[in-house]
Amino acid sequence: DRGGGTDCGFLELLGWVVVMMMQGGRIARRGLSRLAAAVETAAVAPPRMADFNHVPLPYDGPSAAEIARKRAEFLSPSLFHFYSKPLNIVEGKMQYLFDERGRRYLDAFAGIATVCCGHCHPDVVGAIAAQAGRLQHSTVLYLNHAIADFAEALASKMPGDLKVVFFTNSGTEANELAIMMARLYTGSHDIISLRNSYHGNAAGTMGATAQKNWKFSVVQSGVHHAVNPDPYRGAFGSDAEKYARDVQEIIEFGTTGQVAGFISEAIQGVGGIVELSPGYLPLAYEAVRSAGGLCIADEVQAGFARVGSHFWGFETHGVVPDIVTMAKGIGNGIPLGAVVTTPEIAQVLTRRCYFNTFGGNPLCTAGGLAVLRVLEKEGLQANAHAVGSYLKDRLRALQDKHEIIGDVRGTGFMLGVELVTDRQLKTPAKDEICRAMEHMKEMGVLVGKGGFYGNVFRITPPLCFTKEDADFFVAVMDSALSKL
């Protein structure tokens, strides 16, 4: 079975039982009892992956070992990978990935919350191929309908006066641009972000990022990190007013009283799928705007229908930002990002020449427009809401069974399961999660991990994930945690 593998443990155990009985049957009653229990456990069939009508192409490329050798020699030593034996993924189709041997895996990570429509979705692939056959690249100094059509479609998804689009190549670039625009527009330099946040790894975004794991010792000026409104690990539990008071105190005691802006995710992705305390963002936005600042919503991971109930994560908090940044799901895997803001704020970039060679490339924007159309045509937001809610309920039931699960959180297809060795002390189960991921991989499920301590399952599948996939995922996680 390419989906889940086979288990010979039951046959081996049954043979051992027969041998022991043939040796005279001198087995104590207690031993027989244990043996019966073991046989019963072994006889339970392993979780079975849903049927899927796709046969991967034969793979005749280099082996995983050869790729790993080249990677070690020619690529950055900073690169890391999951699993003791790194996977060589050679093909993807919708919510599934295939390795070099043709084995199928359920993808519950989606390339870090990036593949939203599904791997190699035919509509997206078709749009990219058609554009590639006609025009792969031109400068924005010439007219091209692909960039204009996509910008118009993207603006139609935004609330209020958010309708001017700047295209970039990544989320880091988008956040860099947004921070610069806030500073230019306000004339202030101070930016407020949240502790435990991740906004990128360039100069400005590394300053806004607030985890030592992702920060190098380079100049990072003008950023203040507010106490994280984390209902599970936060200093004030779910008390939004106390967290918002910290933002106000940063303004009063850490700045001139005027700030450039405030940047936050609606759900912290790299930080471990951390939901912000209900009611926090409206209070924080009010404090920042009273100090002359702009509010930036980082939708790089939560955007594009992933939260299910809404198209954008910030909408779940009832706020309208001044600037919205996005990437990942915007292109289903294409290197594409964007900043959307108001016509007034957008004018700041006319003070000098702002240019991005590949931002708005016709190949990428044609693909991006296809992604928007697929999301609407296939009702993937509604699917993320329905199946994501079902999956979260099943994960919470799993929490009742396994003491190691400290918290289940998130919404839609942006879910987190935090593992702890002690629920009262919330001691991070860092080694245990790695072992569990190995077990899950062997049973055919790929999932991410993150959080400051690296002890949180990041469950961010393609939005075409089905209820049957959710059942298989939970069964595999249940089995993996039982083996710890």
Side-chain angles (χ1 to χ4, degrees), residues 339-386:
V339 176
V340 184
T341 189
T342 67
E344 182 183 358
I345 295 171
Q347 283 294 318
V348 299
L349 291 186
T350 65
R351 298 176 190 174
R352 294 290 187 275
C353 292
Y354 173 76
F355 191 78
N356 188 316
T357 300
F358 294 103
N361 172 284
L363 198 68
C364 293
T365 48
L369 181 57
V371 168
L372 280 183
R373 288 173 174 168
V374 169
L375 289 173
E376 294 177 359
K377 182 179 74 171
E378 299 186 359
L380 293 183
Q381 180 180 328
N383 187 66
H385 180 58

Side-chain angles (χ1 to χ4, degrees), residues 77-301:
S78 67
L79 296 179
F80 56 90
H81 52 71
F82 287 158
Y83 311 118
S84 56
K85 293 181 179 179
L87 277 174
N88 179 21
I89 296 297
V90 301
E91 191 170 332
K93 190 67 176 176
M94 301 311 287
Q95 66 268 46
Y96 299 105
L97 292 170
F98 298 84
D99 68 12
E100 59 188 352
R101 296 168 296 144
R103 184 181 181 187
R104 178 163 59 107
Y105 298 87
L106 179 64
D107 182 10
F109 198 29
I112 316 180
T114 297
V115 177
C116 60
C117 299
H119 293 281
C120 298
H121 191 289
D123 290 9
V124 179
V125 171
I128 295 169
Q131 184 61 55
R134 191 177 184 94
L135 179 69
Q136 292 182 348
H137 178 75
S138 71
T139 170
V140 290
L141 299 174
Y142 309 135
L143 296 181
N144 183 275
H145 74 88
I147 184 174
D149 291 347
F150 184 36
E152 179 184 34
L154 197 54
S156 72
K157 290 291 188 181
M158 307 302 301
D161 205 24
L162 293 165
K163 61 183 181 183
V164 180
V165 184
F166 296 86
F167 287 111
T168 66
N169 304 287
S170 70
T172 291
E173 278 190 15
N175 284 332
E176 283 281 327
L177 178 58
I179 289 171
M180 182 177 76
M181 291 173 72
R183 284 170 166 164
L184 290 172
Y185 182 79
T186 62
S188 298
H189 187 68
D190 291 292
I191 295 288
I192 300 173
S193 72
L194 299 178
R195 294 179 187 175
N196 196 54
S197 64
Y198 178 87
H199 298 290
N201 55 11
T205 51
M206 189 177 292
T209 292
Q211 286 193 42
K212 69 177 183 179
N213 306 329
W214 303 99
K215 295 169 77 73
F216 286 90
S217 183
V218 296
V219 174
Q220 300 164 43
S221 66
V223 180
H224 309 265
H225 302 118
V227 173
N228 194 33
D230 177 354
Y232 181 63
R233 288 188 176 272
F236 307 124
S238 296
D239 194 329
E241 291 188 2
K242 288 183 179 178
Y243 291 116
R245 192 176 306 139
D246 181 61
V247 174
Q248 184 61 45
E249 289 181 357
I250 285 174
I251 294 169
E252 292 175 353
F253 299 106
T255 75
T256 63
Q258 297 292 306
V259 298
F262 170 82
I263 183 169
S264 73
E265 304 161 90
I267 301 177
Q268 293 175 342
V270 174
I273 316 296
V274 175
E275 295 182 275
L276 308 187
S277 296
Y280 172 77
L281 274 188
L283 294 173
Y285 274 30
E286 181 182 2
V288 169
R289 284 172 171 156
S290 295
L294 300 182
C295 297
I296 304 168
D298 180 340
E299 291 288 318
V300 170
Q301 294 196 33

